[in-house]
Amino acid sequence: MSKSSDNNIDFSTVADPYAQREAAKYEQPIPSRELILQLIEQHGKPIRRKQIAEAFSLESEDQLEALRRRMRAMERDGQVLFNRRQQYCLVDKQDLIAGRILSYPDGFGFLKPDDGGEDLFITPREMNQVLHNDRVLVRVSGVDRKGRREGKIVEVLERNTHQVVGHFMSEHGVQFVKPDNKKITQNVLISKGGSHGAKKGDMVVATLTKQPTSRHQPIGEITEVLGAHMAPGMEIDVAIRTYDLPCEWPDEVLEQIKSLKKVVAEEAKEGRVDLRNIPLVTIDGEDARDFDDAVFCSKTPKGWKLLVAIADVSHYVQQGTALDLEAKKRSTSVYFPEQVIPMLPEILSNGLCSINPDEDRLCMVCEMIINEQGQVMRTKFFDAVMRSHARLTYNKVSAMLEHDNTKLKKKYQAVLPHLEEMYALYKAMREQREVRGAMDFDTQETQIIFGENRKIEKIVPTQRNDAHKLIEEFMIAANSAAARYLNRKKMPRLLRIHEGPSEEKIKNLKTFLGEVGLHIGGGDKPTPVDYMNLTRTIKGRPDAHLIQTVLLRSMSQAVYSPEKKGHFGLALDAYTHFTSPIRRYPDLMVHRAIRHCLQGKSPESFYCGFPEIALLGEHCSSNERRADDATRDVVSWLKCEFMQDKIGETFPGIISAVTGFGLFVELADLYVEGLVHVTSLGQDFFKFDPLSHQLKGERTGVCYRLGDSVNIVVIGVNLDDKKIDFELLGQQRKIKARTPAADTLDKPAKKKSRKKPKHKKPKHKGKVEKKVHK
């Protein structure tokens, strides 16, 4: 077969529009994914691989093997389906949807489609054959009683759970591991002889030897015994294994970086703009170790020229190398309290790619010309070599610019004039930010201070000064400039998109605001300006914290995608991540795309096309969530340990979330959160109203609402479940301290007890990217 049966096209002679890209990737290129999909579509029915090879006149063994691998990859990525007759067909033609499984502790799940479409509900029965984060193909099987589309799993494309961390259990001769990760709801059966010395109650790592199916649970064997229960200091080890975070460098990576020196090679500096005499400076936190951005600002007749120089990671991490594949696999650095799992080896992250003071460094520069109103008028990107003239911190810059610290001003007098111009520019850009309506919620972040033996000494709020905001504003400007540049060049690229709130969330928000006498403009589609106008209106109100929290929770979650959907939170039509390639893989991809354009090459010849970029965006978004979940678990465990000796003590707090099963309360001075279960609220039936975020007693009329101040007593801490239980002051029962494993580990298997419903605070998906946008 050399021609399509439908349109009589001879595909052996068709010019592949992505031939340049394929030639750049392979010595013996084969047809692109796009052309193969076109062939299958025009063929009109399922097709064998042999027929595909014949259609493109592929004959050599290398070409046939390359085609086999490509078809397997397309199958894995959900672009084609390999049916029982060993034929390929388009997924869309089969009314199938590819996506990633999101599992919930109660046993059900959702499919998050790769194309960004509406999530599908997956029943607990269907969930038996998959684990959290697996990629699958599903078909829509109907609509449930809540009006949600239901999906039936047709095929598992990719398994993403290969080891499970949890407690080793043995009951009635059956050995299994109870997962520590609550998103994995199935116990892992341990094969005969696979316990390898683990004792009941030990925290262990089980490697899966058989994945779950509709008929049997996952099966595995113990490959590591971490210790008894959750001993102090084990929390990060458990999180690393629970979330399968890559933390060791493969031998291929170690071999590749062996030749790297501590100084930049002279030949690498050739052909670059020399900025070593420009007084660029880095401004970071006190404890920062990797510096991936430097800034410089000078006055012009009509405004300012701003240089944002970013470490040129793409020079050292070449596409397709072992180092690149490992960076892609990790996607992001993971920041635990006092410990980091970096995306790149230390010789790069803290060495060659870190903009250390008084050392030559390769960089990619975004040059912006900004007018006196703070508007970016022109941008330019170029490769350069630079030297940082000072390693500054936020506190030092704030002391000089906000508090006129003469001692520091004298010490840094060489760069002070440029810092003052930066401050003037920041104020102009800040005004422009307010005009366009970028989100600026007043949220509180905290820092854990450790004492001896890694015990929490205290939890303190972090203070953001104008130096933080200055750098954040400059990084946002550079990120936005990079997105506009790549959009203009029509390049395959990863954008950072943040969609506006859904119609349902807007409807619920308006209902809530109506109850507190407020209104948000914009009709059915409020804009960022409408949101910010409302936040200005509520300043000074006693319920301002409550209203801001509800506004924030109406937002969606920011993700990586090639789609041009803009960034609602920042009120920008185009946004990407360009400024942190040391710790984020999407930034590295953006650097490569920009350099591709600077070299005058066409979008079609870029090594990564739009279909692959879309899948990469989903991969990076998933790994970003994984890193957040792992960090949250560690912090939750540390806070539980911190509260163990405070059982019986009384604290003031604020209701931070309201659910049908109780109230989550954040302690005012400790910044620790716990649950007041609904059964402890008194002799009444409390009805949950999700629109007004309150629990109200039917008989007494007592009402507990989001943002209310309360006094609580700590009644229990459970290290295993990472939960803290509170009761309201005056309503507490007799307090009984619980050991970490008192709930489950030592109870007889047949003994039944009445348990409270499982509780879990709803995720805050409306997280606006408040941190410094590097």
Side-chain angles (χ1 to χ4, degrees):
M1 171 195 146
S2 62
K3 297 181 180 181
S4 167
S5 58
D6 285 353
N7 297 326
N8 206 35
I9 297 175
D10 186 351
F11 276 87
S12 64
T13 62
V14 170
D16 190 339
Y18 298 95
Q20 281 184 282
R21 186 187 74 205
E22 299 301 315
K25 292 169 66 174
Y26 307 105
E27 290 185 9
Q28 292 191 353
I30 61 172
S32 64
R33 292 188 182 203
E34 293 86 348
L35 197 59
I36 292 173
L37 291 172
Q38 184 183 344
L39 167 68
I40 299 174
E41 183 174 14
Q42 294 193 12
H43 187 60
K45 57 185 178 181
I47 185 173
R48 294 183 181 276
R49 190 171 71 238
K50 182 179 179 182
Q51 292 174 289
I52 296 173
E54 290 174 352
F56 293 114
S57 300
L58 303 179
E59 297 176 350
S60 71
E61 289 187 12
D62 288 343
Q63 288 178 322
L64 294 175
E65 174 61 17
L67 178 64
R68 184 190 71 80
R69 293 186 179 185
R70 170 146 294 176
M71 297 310 299
R72 287 296 299 273
M74 292 174 69
E75 179 187 350
R76 185 182 63 247
D77 292 341
Q79 292 179 293
V80 297
L81 177 67
F82 192 59
N83 65 23
R84 293 181 180 179
R85 296 184 179 181
Q86 297 186 322
Q87 297 169 317
Y88 290 97
C89 50
L90 296 180
V91 168
D92 293 341
K93 296 299 182 184
Q94 297 290 316
D95 294 323
L96 300 178
I97 301 172
R100 194 172 295 275
I101 289 290
L102 303 179
S103 177
Y104 287 80
D106 290 334
F108 63 86
F110 284 89
L111 177 89
K112 189 172 185 62
D114 290 340
D115 61 8
E118 181 186 353
D119 290 359
L120 275 77
F121 179 72
I122 309 295
T123 65
R125 183 175 181 179
E126 286 293 304
M127 288 293 293
N128 285 339
Q129 57 190 301
V130 291
L131 296 173
H132 178 71
N133 213 31
D134 283 350
R135 289 192 66 254
V136 299
L137 278 177
V138 306
R139 62 175 174 83
V140 180
S141 58
V143 179
D144 71 1
R145 60 185 180 183
K146 294 184 178 180
R148 300 174 298 193
R149 291 192 307 164
E150 278 190 14
K152 182 174 180 62
I153 296 171
V154 174
E155 186 173 349
V156 179
L157 299 173
E158 184 180 357
R159 297 286 190 177
N160 285 306
T161 299
H162 304 290
Q163 62 178 27
V164 170
V165 180
H167 291 291
F168 178 70
M169 310 288 284
S170 179
E171 294 183 359
H172 307 296
V174 178
Q175 297 178 329
F176 60 93
V177 171
K178 181 182 178 183
D180 181 66
N181 185 353
K182 302 310 175 188
K183 291 181 179 179
I184 300 178
T185 57
Q186 304 179 52
N187 292 332
V188 178
L189 298 177
I190 300 303
S191 55
K192 187 175 181 180
S195 62
H196 299 298
K199 299 176 182 177
K200 183 178 180 180
D202 279 350
M203 185 64 73
V204 298
V205 179
T207 298
L208 301 190
T209 54
K210 288 186 179 180
Q211 293 284 344
T213 69
S214 57
R215 296 185 177 182
H216 70 71
Q217 295 171 252
I219 300 173
E221 61 176 325
I222 306 302
T223 51
E224 189 175 0
V225 178
L226 299 177
H229 303 317
M230 283 285 282
M234 194 191 294
E235 66 280 352
I236 292 179
D237 287 339
V238 169
I240 287 171
R241 291 160 177 80
T242 295
Y243 292 94
D244 200 16
L245 298 172
C247 60
E248 295 183 359
W249 301 109
D251 292 340
E252 296 84 358
V253 172
L254 296 176
E255 184 65 29
Q256 184 181 341
I257 64 175
K258 263 198 320 188
S259 59
L260 294 176
K261 309 296 183 184
K262 292 184 178 181
V263 295
V264 178
E266 287 301 317
E267 57 269 22
K269 304 173 189 177
E270 296 175 1
R272 292 173 175 262
V273 177
D274 192 340
L275 298 180
R276 284 176 286 192
N277 291 327
I278 301 295
L280 285 146
V281 297
T282 61
I283 305 175
D284 291 274
E286 305 285 344
D287 56 351
R289 295 179 61 196
D290 54 340
F291 313 110
D292 47 15
D293 61 89
V295 290
F296 166 80
C297 182
S298 61
K299 195 75 174 73
T300 66
K302 296 183 179 180
W304 295 269
K305 179 170 78 171
L306 174 66
L307 298 183
V308 177
I310 306 299
D312 190 359
V313 176
S314 60
H315 173 82
Y316 299 99
V317 185
Q318 296 291 319
Q319 186 271 326
T321 61
L323 186 56
D324 176 51
L325 296 176
E326 183 65 17
K328 179 180 175 181
K329 178 181 177 182
R330 298 184 178 211
S331 301
T332 180
S333 296
V334 185
Y335 293 88
F336 295 115
E338 294 195 331
Q339 185 173 329
V340 179
I341 301 177
M343 186 181 80
L344 298 173
E346 190 170 351
I347 191 170
L348 291 173
S349 59
N350 294 339
L352 279 170
C353 293
S354 182
I355 304 175
N356 302 322
D358 302 317
E359 293 182 10
D360 286 1
R361 286 292 181 260
L362 306 182
C363 60
M364 180 173 283
V365 179
C366 175
E367 178 186 289
M368 290 170 276
I369 303 300
I370 304 171
N371 66 17
E372 292 181 348
Q373 288 72 46
Q375 297 172 312
V376 178
M377 307 306 294
R378 296 199 311 274
T379 60
K380 181 171 69 172
F381 291 88
F382 56 89
D383 292 324
V385 57
M386 62 159 288
R387 286 175 76 88
S388 170
H389 285 232
R391 185 278 202 248
L392 300 174
T393 66
Y394 297 122
N395 291 340
K396 287 180 179 179
V397 173
S398 175
M400 287 186 278
L401 300 180
E402 292 185 80
H403 306 294
D404 197 29
N405 187 307
T406 53
K407 185 177 179 181
L408 285 173
K409 281 186 171 184
K410 184 177 180 180
K411 180 178 180 181
Y412 295 106
Q413 59 183 335
V415 297
L416 182 60
H418 306 293
L419 292 177
E420 290 172 340
E421 289 301 339
M422 285 184 206
Y423 200 34
L425 171 57
Y426 157 70
K427 290 177 179 177
M429 295 178 76
R430 187 74 186 181
E431 289 183 12
Q432 190 59 224
R433 177 192 181 104
E434 292 180 4
V435 168
R436 73 173 192 266
M439 303 294 173
D440 194 16
F441 290 116
D442 184 21
T443 57
Q444 181 64 68
E445 296 181 10
T446 58
Q447 179 183 3
I448 294 176
I449 306 298
F450 290 96
E452 294 182 3
N453 299 321
R454 196 175 165 73
K455 298 287 185 181
I456 294 181
E457 188 174 288
K458 56 184 175 180
I459 301 171
V460 297
T462 55
Q463 303 296 327
R464 291 181 80 246
N465 53 44
D466 277 1
H468 288 90
K469 297 173 185 177
L470 177 150
I471 289 297
E472 177 180 305
E473 208 60 49
F474 292 173
M475 297 304 118
I476 289 174
N479 285 334
S480 183
R484 291 195 305 271
Y485 178 79
L486 293 176
N487 283 346
R488 194 164 61 246
K489 297 289 185 179
K490 295 181 170 53
M491 278 293 294
R493 71 278 176 270
L494 271 183
L495 299 174
R496 183 67 167 176
I497 65 170
H498 182 230
E499 295 188 76
S502 65
E503 289 183 13
E504 182 182 358
K505 287 186 176 181
I506 289 297
K507 182 180 177 181
N508 293 342
L509 175 62
K510 284 178 176 289
T511 301
F512 167 78
L513 292 174
E515 292 183 356
V516 295
L518 292 170
H519 171 74
I520 187 170
D524 294 335
K525 291 188 177 181
T527 66
V529 172
D530 297 316
Y531 267 79
M532 293 319 296
N533 285 341
L534 181 58
T535 60
R536 295 188 188 103
T537 303
I538 65 175
K539 282 186 177 178
R541 286 180 55 135
D543 58 355
H545 177 75
L546 158 67
I547 298 166
Q548 177 180 279
T549 301
V550 175
L551 287 173
L552 197 54
R553 289 177 180 172
S554 71
M555 303 287 185
S556 59
Q557 189 174 35
V559 296
Y560 294 107
S561 169
E563 296 185 66
K564 299 178 184 178
K565 293 185 177 180
H567 197 294
F568 186 83
L570 295 173
L572 291 168
D573 293 332
Y575 194 68
T576 190
H577 277 167
F578 160 76
T579 55
S580 292
I582 289 178
R583 64 182 179 90
R584 290 188 307 228
Y585 194 80
D587 302 55
L588 175 58
M589 289 293 297
V590 167
H591 278 236
R592 288 172 177 166
I594 291 174
R595 176 163 291 122
H596 190 84
C597 295
L598 293 177
Q599 293 172 347
K601 297 178 180 178
S602 68
E604 292 77 18
S605 63
F606 191 54
Y607 75 94
C608 200
F610 277 99
E612 295 155 301
I613 283 280
L615 290 169
L616 178 63
E618 201 282 327
H619 168 77
C620 291
S621 297
S622 175
N623 284 351
E624 178 186 42
R625 292 191 295 270
R626 178 181 69 174
D628 288 343
D629 288 344
T631 303
R632 191 182 300 113
D633 267 13
V634 168
V635 171
S636 296
W637 193 93
L638 289 169
K639 287 183 176 180
C640 284
E641 186 187 39
F642 177 56
M643 294 298 292
Q644 271 190 308
D645 61 356
K646 296 173 177 58
I647 292 176
E649 295 186 28
T650 303
F651 298 96
I654 294 176
I655 296 176
S656 57
V658 182
T659 71
F661 51 79
L663 315 168
F664 284 93
V665 177
E666 183 179 90
L667 304 187
D669 299 322
L670 298 183
Y671 304 97
V672 169
E673 198 170 55
L675 178 80
V676 177
H677 200 271
V678 67
T679 56
S680 72
L681 292 179
Q683 299 298 315
D684 200 351
F685 178 78
F686 283 85
K687 187 176 180 181
F688 172 53
D689 184 351
L691 296 182
S692 58
H693 301 268
Q694 67 179 13
L695 280 173
K696 188 173 183 179
E698 285 193 348
R699 181 176 59 82
T700 61
V702 173
C703 180
Y704 298 101
R705 193 168 67 161
L706 182 70
D708 285 351
S709 296
V710 292
N711 292 309
I712 61 89
V713 177
V714 182
I715 65 163
V717 176
N718 188 320
L719 277 174
D720 287 338
D721 290 337
K722 307 177 188 71
K723 293 173 183 174
I724 304 171
D725 290 321
F726 298 155
E727 285 190 354
L728 297 182
L729 186 62
Q731 294 183 338
Q732 69 273 19
R733 295 158 289 184
K734 186 175 180 181
I735 296 169
K736 182 180 179 182
R738 295 187 296 178
T739 59
D743 287 3
T744 56
L745 293 184
D746 298 318
K747 288 182 181 178
K750 291 186 178 180
K751 184 177 179 180
K752 294 184 179 180
S753 61
R754 295 180 63 187
K755 295 183 180 179
K756 295 179 182 179
K758 293 182 180 179
H759 58 266
K760 184 170 183 180
K761 183 182 175 183
K763 276 195 175 180
H764 183 186
K765 288 191 176 181
K767 180 177 67 174
V768 173
E769 296 179 296
K770 176 80 174 177
K771 297 179 183 178
V772 175
H773 290 252
K774 291 189 177 182

